[in-house]
Amino acid sequence: MKIVKQFIMGLMVMALVSFAFAQQKENLDDYLDELNSLIQEEYSLDASYRKEYDEAIATLQAEAQEKINEVSEQEAFPWENSYEYSQRINKQILEIQEQLKSDMDEKNKELVSEYKSAKNAIAEKKTTLWNEIEQKKFHCTDDKVEVLCGAFDTHQKYWPIVVKTNESQLVYRSGELKLEPNMDEIETEFYKIQDLIDNDQIAAEINVRVQQKNPTANTYEIVLVDITLYDSDNEVLYTFPGYSQVIQTVDYMKDAYDPTTEPVEVSRSAKSNESNSEAEPLEVSEEE
C-alpha cells in the first residue's frame, strides 16, 4: 500500500533520553531507540496519509472540473430554447458533482482503512515493546556514573552522597554511604572509606526500571530499584534500595492526529453563464 511504503521510507529515529548504560545484549538505549522509531513511524504515517489524501482528492476534483468545463462549453441544440438548454447542462453538471462526491467518499474510505490498519499495527508493536521494557532491570555503571560524597556526619555515621550519570544528568540526591562497623573497628573503616573518597575510587551501579506513566500521552518514568557502591577492587561497599522512587519523567506527547475529510467545491465554467443568461443558478451543497 502506498501509505505504508511512504512512511516507512521516511522514518527518523529521535533520541529522547540519552542514558549511557553498560553494554548488554539489550540495554535501555536499544529499547528507547526502537520505541522512538515506532513513534516516528506514527507521525510519518499521519503525514503520509494527509499528503496522499490531499493529492487523491485534488486529482478527483481536477478531473471533475474538467468534465464540468466541457459540459459548460456545449452549445444549445437547434431545437432547444434557453431554458431547456440550461436544464440539460445543469443536470449533467449535477451528475458529475454527485459522482465526484461518491468517488471522494470511496477514496476516503479506502485511505482511512489503510491508515487505521497501519496505525493499529504500530500500536500493537508498541504494546509488545512496553511489556518487554517494564519487565527488565537496567544498569548504569562504570565511568558513566559519578559519585559525589559530602562531609562525614559524626552523629549519624554516614557520608551523604549524590549519584548521577555523567551524560544524562540522572541524579539520585538522597543517598548515604553509611559506616556500620563495631566501635573497635570504626577508625580503620572510616579511614579506609575516606581514603577511597579522597582518591575518587568509589564507583556506583544504578539499577532502574522503566514504566509507563500515561500510555496515551507517551509519558514514561525512570524508577530507581537500588544503587550499589563499589571500591577500587570492585568489592561492594554499600547497597541501598531505591524504594521505587521516580528519578526522571520523560514526556514526549505530541498533538494527536485525527484524519477527517474536508469540504470540496467545484465551480461551473464562466462561459456557461455568459452564453446562457436565462439559465437558473446552480447550487450544490457538500456534506461531510
Side-chain angles (χ1 to χ4, degrees), residues 133 136 139 141 157 163 177 182 266 271 278:
I133 292 175
K136 289 185 175 292
H139 314 280
T141 60
K157 301 295 187 278
V163 180
L177 173 52
N182 59 53
V266 291
K271 285 188 177 182
E278 297 182 29

Side-chain angles (χ1 to χ4, degrees), residues 163-220:
V163 180
K164 66 179 182 178
T165 62
N166 293 332
E167 294 184 13
S168 68
Q169 299 304 306
L170 166 63
V171 178
Y172 180 78
R173 297 184 181 279
S174 58
E176 58 185 42
L177 173 52
K178 197 168 182 62
L179 193 62
E180 296 180 328
N182 59 53
M183 294 307 294
D184 294 333
E185 300 175 347
I186 190 169
E187 180 179 357
T188 300
E189 291 299 315
F190 172 84
Y191 283 112
K192 172 186 174 182
I193 295 177
Q194 188 63 54
D195 184 62
L196 292 172
I197 294 173
D198 293 340
N199 291 281
D200 195 25
Q201 293 181 329
I202 295 181
E205 177 182 83
I206 303 177
N207 297 312
V208 301
R209 294 189 186 280
V210 180
Q211 64 188 25
Q212 283 185 290
K213 179 181 179 182
N214 186 342
T216 59
N218 288 328
T219 304
Y220 62 84

